[in-house]
Amino acid sequence: MRRFVRELKRRNVFRAATIYTAAAWLLVQVATQVFPFFDIPNWTVRLVVVAALVGFPFVLVISWFYELTPQGLRREYEPDEALAARARGPHAFHLALLSAAAVALAVLIAVLLVSRRSTSGTSDAPSIAVLPLRNLSADAENAYFAEGLQDEILTRLARIGSLRVISRASVTGYTGVPAALPKIAEELGVDNILEGSVQRRADEVRISVRLVVLRTGANLWGETFDRKLSDVFAVESEIAAAVVEALKLRLSGAERQMLETAPTKNAAAYDQYLHGLAYANLPLEQENTQREADYLSAAVALDPAFALAWARLSRAHVVLAYQGAADACERAGHEAARALQLQLSLGEAFQAQATWLNYCKNDPAGAQAEFERAQRALPNNADVLTSLSGIASGRGQWDRAIEYLRQALILDPRNPKLLADDVVILLETRRFDEARATADRALDVAPDDPYLIALQAALEQAAGRLDVAQRRLDQLSFLPQEVSVFDYQVLQRLYLRHYSEAIEVLEEALARDLKSIGMGAGDYWYLLGVTQRAAGDASAARHAFTAGRAYLERFKSVAAPTDTAVYLEAMKCLMEAGAGDEADQGACHATAVAAAGEGAFASSAREALASAAALRGDTDGALALLPTLLRTSYYSFLYSAPLTPALLRQDPVWDRLRSDRRFQSLASEASAERPR
């Protein structure tokens, strides 16, 4: 044994092992600390550790049989004393270092190649859609319970980075009728479907689910759970774990922990939470949002450590702030902070914090950082990607915004709102032909969606094809509760100079309760004033503009996102100009400040200033702004698209400029330029 140990020393095996161990340890430390910073998947860290362990015996073998000499790498033979002396030199150290470096290089190359293959082949990842669970309970009011269970199972699976999970909006309306499953899977672009039913009686619940693989039509897994209501958390975890096992997915430690962790141990709090989710999935109206917040508030009152409920509650209060609740933003900030304090790694908490920063603190940079953290924790969350798209477009990063949105559509392919957002961003960048084709494809998915139909009309309005726009709008009913639809319905009447019709529908709309659209109803007051002025009733127009400014004043205490803050001041500026109020130009001053800057919505503010100048009859002021607006990509507060020559020709706002030759040149089709 002593002779063997001496031989190990002579051949520098111990030194090689020591050097390799140190190098491997350093490599593992770099992998664990640096890889996450670059969003390299967790499995690559495990690969580095395994490769380092596997490389150790190879280094020992190499150091036993070979040495590095001035003549190069040579086989180690029984040496004479001179050779032995040389072998005891620094060459073994070089050999060990070279071996460690070679292994490290091989590991890094493997990581990069596999990581690249994984990134480029995201579409090859297993995919699943969790269909709405059928409510078999005798009491129809228990439908919220079935909806909530589906939502929570989907949310748990959506935290798995190696699985593509279709978002809830795209599966709403589907039922798991076996004959329809292949068609559903084809429409959603998935390989597997999880479907089932829920039956609740008092504090007992039966949950039946099955996992269907569409390639073969076989049930990959299925089970029925009969449990007490208090055990429902465990059932959700068991279902998610069974799906993971059936699909042979490999989870990181963090993913496994999130999969197994119950959001709360309080059954009553969880029941209130599920009630809140049901209202969150209803149309975005103030009454629904308030009911959602009430149920979520009850949930956190029953369990103050319920981090997920705090995060959802924060987002509900942000929506209420937009709808006019003066203290909602302050509450949302406290609730987001509470969620993060309770669970530092919760993706929904990052999302809540980001939403608050974006919509309540005018901090898109901070919001982006938090949304990116949320995206890493919630890789299948389409809402987070959509929010990142909105921030990117607000900064004029149009290609990046489109990329985020297309990623969201992979996860939520049949969500009409996302499909509409895709059309809008193409409109904003003046890619009108692409927008028209995208709108047509979107309507193949959601043929009855009023917003998509209205966007088709908007495209035709921007191009000056009012007859085609009218045929689109004839498909829609009177929709004053949908500001994004109703604006186009009114603008069409305005462009056609059907003033009495426009006034009639606007007055009827303003007689309704418009709390659900909040400050968006400022559009209606502005359009009413413009229409009455064009119809020759200056007195009624001044009254409408004055009333509109008073309406918008109620939102001045609401902290708002950058776009909404600019919108609020810009619309107030237009009301001041329309009412001829030269004494109070505070809003126009604020709008001019925004227009002069490099902010996300500077062009939107410039458009408002140009329109306000036209309302006052300031031809030079308007014409100083219009040429740039006609070739810029931006979000318009007033139109369906960035300003176009056709919109200049059609909108009566510009009537006082029509005799000017400079304006006539801008309003000609030849003035249209490619966007900057």
Side-chain angles (χ1 to χ4, degrees):
M1 176 61 75
R2 290 181 180 178
R3 182 179 178 183
F4 178 67
V5 171
R6 283 198 303 270
E7 189 66 14
L8 289 175
K9 290 180 179 179
R10 187 188 67 78
R11 294 172 182 258
N12 295 298
V13 174
F14 288 130
R15 179 178 292 185
T18 301
I19 298 299
Y20 179 85
T21 301
W25 178 86
L26 179 61
L27 182 62
V28 169
Q29 293 303 307
V30 170
T32 56
Q33 299 299 320
V34 177
F35 282 17
F37 181 77
F38 290 102
D39 292 335
I40 298 175
N42 288 333
W43 60 264
T44 59
V45 178
R46 295 194 293 273
L47 178 61
V48 170
V49 175
V50 171
L53 292 173
V54 170
F56 184 72
F58 286 100
V59 169
L60 298 183
V61 171
I62 291 171
S63 65
W64 176 273
F65 288 106
Y66 293 91
E67 69 167 338
L68 189 64
T69 73
Q71 290 75 36
L73 193 66
R74 58 172 287 176
R75 180 71 181 267
E76 173 76 60
Y77 294 101
E78 289 296 329
D80 55 22
E81 286 302 316
L83 188 58
R86 187 166 64 248
R88 287 192 292 271
H91 305 303
F93 170 79
H94 294 157
L95 177 61
L97 189 60
L98 179 63
S99 301
V103 172
L105 181 61
V107 169
L108 288 175
I109 291 173
V111 166
L112 291 174
L113 288 176
V114 178
S115 178
R116 178 176 293 183
R117 183 164 61 249
S118 175
T119 302
S120 62
T122 301
S123 60
D124 296 331
S127 54
I128 190 170
V130 181
L131 298 188
L133 300 175
R134 298 184 300 280
N135 176 34
L136 303 183
S137 306
D139 187 352
E141 292 184 1
N142 280 324
Y144 81 90
F145 187 76
E147 291 176 14
L149 286 183
Q150 176 221 5
D151 214 337
E152 285 304 292
I153 293 169
L154 188 155
T155 298
R156 286 174 187 254
L157 292 173
R159 292 191 173 101
I160 301 172
S162 58
L163 179 66
R164 180 165 61 88
V165 183
I166 300 301
S167 298
R168 187 185 191 281
S170 285
V171 300
T172 300
Y174 285 125
T175 55
V177 180
L181 290 184
K183 182 175 184 296
I184 294 172
E186 181 183 357
E187 291 176 347
L188 295 175
V190 295
D191 306 316
N192 308 281
I193 283 182
L194 185 71
E195 65 96 21
S197 61
V198 177
Q199 188 172 15
R200 177 180 172 182
R201 292 179 181 175
D203 65 340
E204 295 183 347
V205 61
R206 166 172 285 190
I207 304 172
S208 297
V209 289
R210 65 175 183 139
L211 179 64
V212 182
V213 56
L214 273 302
R215 186 178 63 258
T216 62
N219 289 354
L220 200 57
W221 168 81
E223 193 166 341
T224 297
F225 302 86
D226 289 303
R227 300 290 177 83
K228 294 290 186 182
L229 190 61
S230 57
D231 294 332
V232 73
F233 318 116
V235 174
E236 292 171 357
S237 292
E238 288 179 43
I239 292 172
V243 170
V244 168
E245 183 177 354
L247 297 180
K248 296 179 171 58
L249 302 175
R250 299 184 65 179
L251 306 184
S252 68
E255 288 172 340
R256 189 169 296 282
Q257 182 180 5
M258 292 298 290
L259 203 66
E260 296 172 352
T261 302
T264 177
K265 296 179 180 179
N266 188 313
Y270 193 63
D271 191 61
Q272 294 295 308
Y273 172 76
L274 294 183
H275 269 293
L277 289 190
Y279 281 96
N281 293 322
L282 293 177
L284 197 63
E285 297 177 1
Q286 188 179 40
E287 182 179 354
N288 292 335
T289 310
Q290 187 60 60
R291 294 292 297 276
E292 175 193 358
D294 291 344
Y295 277 115
L296 293 172
S297 296
V300 297
L302 289 166
D303 181 6
F306 195 168
L308 187 59
W310 282 111
R312 291 266 191 171
L313 180 58
S314 173
R315 291 169 60 199
H317 274 127
V318 170
V319 176
L320 285 171
Y322 176 79
Q323 293 171 338
D327 64 339
C329 265
E330 182 179 357
R331 297 178 66 179
H334 291 311
E335 290 152 359
R338 178 63 173 155
L340 281 170
Q341 180 185 16
L342 289 167
Q343 202 167 339
L344 284 173
S345 60
L346 184 66
E348 287 84 355
F350 300 143
Q351 185 181 10
Q353 180 79 355
T355 303
W356 175 70
L357 287 170
N358 195 34
Y359 286 86
C360 290
K361 300 302 289 183
N362 298 343
D363 184 5
Q368 178 177 335
E370 291 299 311
F371 275 129
E372 287 172 349
R373 294 177 70 190
Q375 201 275 325
R376 289 193 290 271
L378 304 170
N380 286 286
N381 191 308
D383 289 341
V384 171
L385 290 165
T386 304
S387 298
L388 285 168
S389 175
I391 291 174
S393 65
R395 292 179 163 185
Q397 300 169 349
W398 299 106
D399 290 340
R400 189 175 185 185
I402 291 172
E403 176 60 26
Y404 275 130
L405 192 58
R406 298 291 163 80
Q407 291 178 33
L409 280 165
I410 291 173
L411 300 172
D412 207 355
R414 299 183 70 82
N415 184 339
K417 183 182 181 304
L418 283 190
L419 293 167
D421 287 346
D422 198 15
V423 178
V424 169
I425 202 168
L426 293 171
L427 268 171
E428 291 172 349
T429 53
R430 300 183 182 273
R431 306 178 195 185
F432 297 120
D433 291 339
E434 289 181 62
R436 187 172 286 104
T438 301
D440 291 342
R441 290 195 301 270
L443 279 165
D444 289 339
V445 174
D448 299 321
D449 186 75
Y451 187 26
L452 287 171
I453 295 171
L455 284 174
Q456 276 193 323
L459 278 159
E460 305 305 337
Q461 289 173 344
R465 292 190 285 267
L466 296 181
D467 54 338
V468 181
Q470 188 62 52
R471 289 198 293 272
R472 304 282 191 240
L473 292 171
D474 284 342
Q475 303 174 53
L476 301 175
S477 59
F478 178 63
L479 292 170
Q481 302 299 125
E482 301 286 343
V483 63
S484 55
V485 175
F486 188 65
D487 274 357
Y488 303 142
Q489 293 178 309
V490 175
L491 285 170
Q492 179 73 4
R493 291 169 169 82
L494 192 62
Y495 298 156
L496 292 172
R497 311 290 168 137
H498 296 168
Y499 299 137
S500 60
E501 291 181 24
I503 292 169
E504 181 181 354
V505 296
L506 282 165
E507 288 180 339
E508 183 179 344
L510 288 167
R512 299 187 177 207
D513 181 358
L514 298 175
K515 290 180 181 177
S516 62
I517 59 174
M519 67 183 74
D523 286 12
Y524 300 177
W525 287 108
Y526 165 75
L527 288 171
L528 179 60
V530 168
T531 307
Q532 289 172 329
R533 179 171 173 161
D537 193 342
S539 177
R542 280 194 299 273
H543 178 270
F545 285 127
T546 303
R549 193 182 192 287
Y551 176 82
L552 291 172
E553 278 294 320
R554 73 179 67 178
F555 298 96
K556 67 181 180 181
S557 62
V558 180
T562 304
D563 60 335
T564 308
V566 176
Y567 167 83
L568 187 61
E569 296 302 321
M571 293 305 293
K572 285 160 62 176
C573 172
L574 287 165
M575 304 294 187
E576 291 168 358
D581 189 351
E582 300 292 342
D584 185 3
Q585 290 293 312
C588 284
H589 175 72
T591 304
V593 171
E598 296 296 328
F601 296 91
S603 294
S604 307
R606 285 193 282 271
E607 182 189 73
L609 287 177
S611 301
L615 285 170
R616 294 194 188 96
D618 179 5
T619 301
D620 290 339
L623 290 174
L625 296 165
L626 289 179
T628 301
L629 288 170
L630 285 168
R631 60 176 184 269
T632 302
S633 297
Y634 68 96
Y635 173 76
S636 172
F637 293 144
L638 304 175
Y639 298 109
S640 54
L643 202 59
T644 65
L647 293 172
L648 287 178
R649 294 194 301 272
Q650 293 162 180
D651 192 345
V653 165
W654 310 105
D655 281 355
R656 297 176 73 173
L657 280 62
R658 299 198 185 283
S659 60
D660 191 289
R661 290 185 178 180
R662 294 170 294 171
F663 179 83
Q664 293 169 5
S665 175
L666 290 173
S668 67
E669 289 298 334
S671 70
E673 299 182 29
R674 295 183 63 84
R676 296 186 302 176

